[in-house]
Amino acid sequence: MAMGPITLQDIRSVAMTTTYIRGGTVVSPTGSQPLDVLVDGETIAALVAPELAPFGDPDQTFDRVLDASGTYVIPGGVDAHTHMEMPFGGTVASDTFESGTRAAAHGGTTTIIDFAIQRQGERVQDTLAAWHAKAQGNCAIDYGFHQILGGVDSDALKAMDELVAEGVTSFKLFMAYPGVYYSDDGQILRAMQQCAGNGALTMMHAENGIAIDQLVAQHIERGETSPYYHGVSRPWELEEEATHRAIMLARVTGAPLYVVHVSAKQAMEQIATARGAGANVFAETCPQYLYLSLEEQLGAAGFEGAKWVCSTPLRSREERHQDELWRYIRTGDVATVSTDHCPFCFKGQKEMGLGDFSKIPNGMAGVEHRVDLMYQGVVNGKLSLQRWVDVCATTPARMFGLYPRKGIISPGADADIVIYDPNVHTSIGFDKTHHSNLDHSTWEGFEIDGGVRAVMSRGTVIVDRGQYLGRAGHGTYLKRGLSQYLI
Ligand code: URP
Ligand code: ZN
Ligand code: ZN
């Protein structure tokens, strides 16, 4: 970890607002160390060993001093998978860029990468412009975009190169949702070839949607219409099969592959095997697959399970997918933990699937709670403090071309900093910690042995002990570089 030898003169010569974060333990993927952090304007100027500080009383020297004694000082979270205002199943995800990024800020996430969406017949560039218009001026934190391609044709392929030059360096394709976002294997192959040429990362929703649609229709015909059957109709075999197929297509084309929202341990085995053979294949999982299950959430009484309908689906606790996903986080085969934040209100939105689970809009909330939920993994002995920071901030930043500006506390990086207090307790719930535009909490009743004390975004304190001090429009668009995380 770098330590900048600084003098008072250095600080004065920069002459921006200085903030000194004193007394905390700075955590990075490679270690943790008692270090003070000097922020100058929007960026980190230096890490200072407290006993070596070459100036007098920080209170007299700096514009602002934040006391971080007894806390972890970590890079702001990077959530590489969110869907604010996403159109899905005849409705639109309930968090706007404004409400969703405010919720993210409360939870210690200072960067999101959201998805612009192109469908068959639409010009890719137009759809990206539409997503820029939704986000610009509305975000509390910095944001970038991936591009979903739902209609791969020759124009879309050409557009991919243009987008890479504009900082959209990753493209999501769907092997699921036929007739909506689905691409066939030929389209996937073509898009991967384009990525192999322009250096972009292919992101894959790996489920065999053609087979799933048959199973869905059969369940509905048999009168098995409750949310539980959403999970049953999307068996792990069809996630494993699609994951394997995606890996093989990537291998044929030479494109790197990032498999999103992996929920099945068998899909992870495919990814780990490919990685063991040296392939540029990466996995993302989400907190819902680490904590929630087919039996408890999707199988909840009545229509309640609709709150947790998402794809890939929650898996059976009995089949022990969760333990295996935690293990793959420790081995590094799971590279990142994102949220797939895509909330829909129970009233009026999830209810669209009353009597037919296939009409329930897919998605749930998470952007506010990811850093906490993963910290609870540290408390529970599932991952180390360093790996917590790695999967929540550093690796997503590297994977998506934002490092070292984001994802690390280091001189020159943006001052996106979270002061995380391991000595407090956070009870998640609708009436307690809830800032999403959503009529329920996905994570109701979850208890965390820690909590976010303060959040800084590019040098501005935007959350302080639960109080929101940020503003819509503070967040700026991040033009991303190419992935820096190839094996
Ligand atoms: O259920 C989900 N995951 N909704 C969002 C769309 C997607 O597939 O990521
Ligand atoms: Zn998906
Ligand atoms: Zn998603």
Side-chain angles (χ1 to χ4, degrees):
M1 199 172 279
M3 269 199 306
I6 53 165
T7 64
L8 254 182
Q9 204 181 353
D10 292 332
I11 297 157
R12 296 273 183 239
S13 67
V14 183
M16 294 186 75
T17 303
T18 51
T19 304
Y20 197 67
I21 304 174
R22 178 169 56 179
T25 296
V26 172
V27 186
S28 81
T30 53
S32 47
Q33 211 180 327
L35 287 170
D36 297 343
V37 182
L38 175 61
V39 174
D40 182 22
E42 296 201 343
T43 55
I44 295 168
L47 303 184
V48 184
E51 67 280 10
L52 299 178
F55 39 76
D57 180 1
D59 287 310
Q60 306 301 317
T61 310
F62 304 107
D63 299 315
R64 178 173 52 182
V65 176
L66 301 179
D67 179 19
S69 322
T71 70
Y72 299 123
V73 179
I74 61 172
V78 178
D79 189 341
H81 190 152
T82 67
H83 300 280
M84 307 304 171
E85 308 178 36
M86 180 188 188
F88 196 109
T91 186
V92 178
S94 59
D95 259 326
T96 60
F97 278 89
E98 180 172 356
S99 65
T101 57
R102 197 184 326 121
H106 276 279
T109 285
T110 52
T111 300
I112 60 162
I113 313 179
D114 207 272
F115 290 81
I117 303 179
Q118 177 253 5
R119 292 187 55 180
Q120 195 66 52
E122 294 175 339
R123 231 180 125 250
V124 175
Q125 295 91 332
D126 294 344
T127 63
L128 177 61
W131 255 262
H132 271 295
K134 293 183 208 209
Q136 200 177 9
N138 290 320
C139 292
I141 56 172
D142 289 350
Y143 61 95
F145 289 119
H146 314 283
Q147 179 72 48
I148 286 174
L149 297 177
V152 177
D153 56 21
S154 53
D155 284 345
L157 291 169
K158 276 188 224 123
M160 289 169 77
D161 295 351
E162 231 176 87
L163 263 61
V164 168
E166 290 179 27
V168 178
T169 55
S170 39
F171 297 89
K172 184 178 178 188
L173 302 165
F174 289 81
M175 299 168 112
Y177 308 139
V180 188
Y181 299 127
Y182 175 82
S183 291
D184 66 28
D185 288 355
Q187 290 174 307
I188 291 170
L189 184 101
R190 297 281 307 278
M192 282 182 168
Q193 286 172 332
Q194 203 74 19
C195 286
N198 64 26
L201 190 58
T202 305
M203 305 171 79
M204 190 62 72
H205 180 132
E207 285 186 294
N208 184 329
I210 301 285
I212 285 169
D213 271 9
Q214 295 302 317
L215 295 178
V216 168
Q218 290 166 11
H219 282 293
I220 299 292
E221 215 172 285
R222 287 200 292 268
E224 295 165 345
T225 60
S226 72
Y228 179 75
Y229 290 97
H230 170 79
V232 177
S233 64
R234 308 180 88 91
W236 60 259
E237 287 89 340
L238 298 182
E239 185 183 346
E240 181 184 10
E241 183 278 324
T243 303
H244 180 258
R245 189 156 32 104
I247 291 168
M248 289 300 127
L249 291 167
R251 183 185 159 122
V252 166
T253 58
L257 173 68
Y258 176 95
V259 185
V260 296
H261 49 52
V262 178
S263 66
K265 63 182 179 186
Q266 295 85 353
M268 273 312 308
E269 273 164 37
Q270 295 292 336
I271 291 165
T273 302
R275 290 174 55 77
N280 278 316
V281 175
F282 309 97
E284 165 199 275
T285 194
C286 312
Q288 51 268 38
Y289 306 121
L290 297 165
Y291 287 103
L292 310 179
S293 71
L294 170 71
E295 293 88 351
E296 289 148 291
Q297 276 74 31
L298 279 176
F303 189 63
E304 200 66 11
K307 291 176 182 171
W308 297 283
V309 162
C310 64
S311 299
T312 59
L314 303 182
R315 298 286 173 202
S316 166
R317 190 175 288 279
E318 283 162 25
E319 290 172 2
R320 304 189 70 79
H321 297 274
Q322 296 178 357
D323 287 347
E324 284 297 284
L325 291 176
W326 282 113
R327 184 175 71 75
Y328 282 119
I329 287 175
R330 289 192 293 277
T331 64
D333 289 307
V334 167
T336 64
V337 177
S338 308
T339 59
D340 197 5
H341 180 84
C342 189
F344 296 97
C345 289
F346 191 74
K347 286 257 155 267
Q349 292 195 298
K350 290 289 185 178
E351 281 178 347
M352 292 164 76
L354 267 169
D356 181 348
F357 69 81
S358 70
K359 298 202 164 53
I360 301 170
N362 283 206
M364 64 177 76
V367 77
E368 185 172 357
H369 305 302
R370 180 185 63 128
V371 172
D372 275 335
L373 289 163
M374 294 313 294
Y375 180 71
Q376 194 59 29
V378 177
V379 173
N380 295 343
K382 301 285 192 190
L383 77 170
S384 68
L385 206 52
Q386 291 76 25
R387 191 84 186 109
W388 170 52
V389 165
D390 198 6
V391 295
C392 287
T394 315
T395 294
R398 293 179 69 186
M399 185 71 70
F400 294 106
L402 292 171
Y403 185 91
R405 181 172 170 193
K406 305 291 188 189
I408 193 81
I409 296 188
S410 179
D414 279 359
D416 289 3
I417 298 172
V418 175
I419 299 180
Y420 198 87
D421 189 346
N423 302 305
V424 299
H425 189 86
T426 305
S427 294
I428 302 179
F430 186 69
D431 297 329
K432 299 167 190 156
T433 53
H434 186 86
H435 298 89
S436 266
N437 182 31
L438 185 63
D439 63 359
H440 63 278
S441 171
T442 300
W443 295 94
E444 188 72 42
F446 273 74
E447 303 287 335
I448 309 295
D449 295 311
V452 170
R453 182 192 290 177
V455 180
M456 185 179 262
S457 165
R458 295 195 333 273
T460 299
V461 176
I462 57 170
V463 174
D464 187 13
R465 294 172 200 264
Q467 200 189 347
Y468 181 63
L469 305 173
R471 65 174 175 85
H474 165 82
T476 58
Y477 171 65
L478 297 166
K479 190 172 168 181
R480 296 183 292 116
L482 297 178
S483 175
Q484 298 148 283
Y485 211 78
L486 305 188
I487 285 175

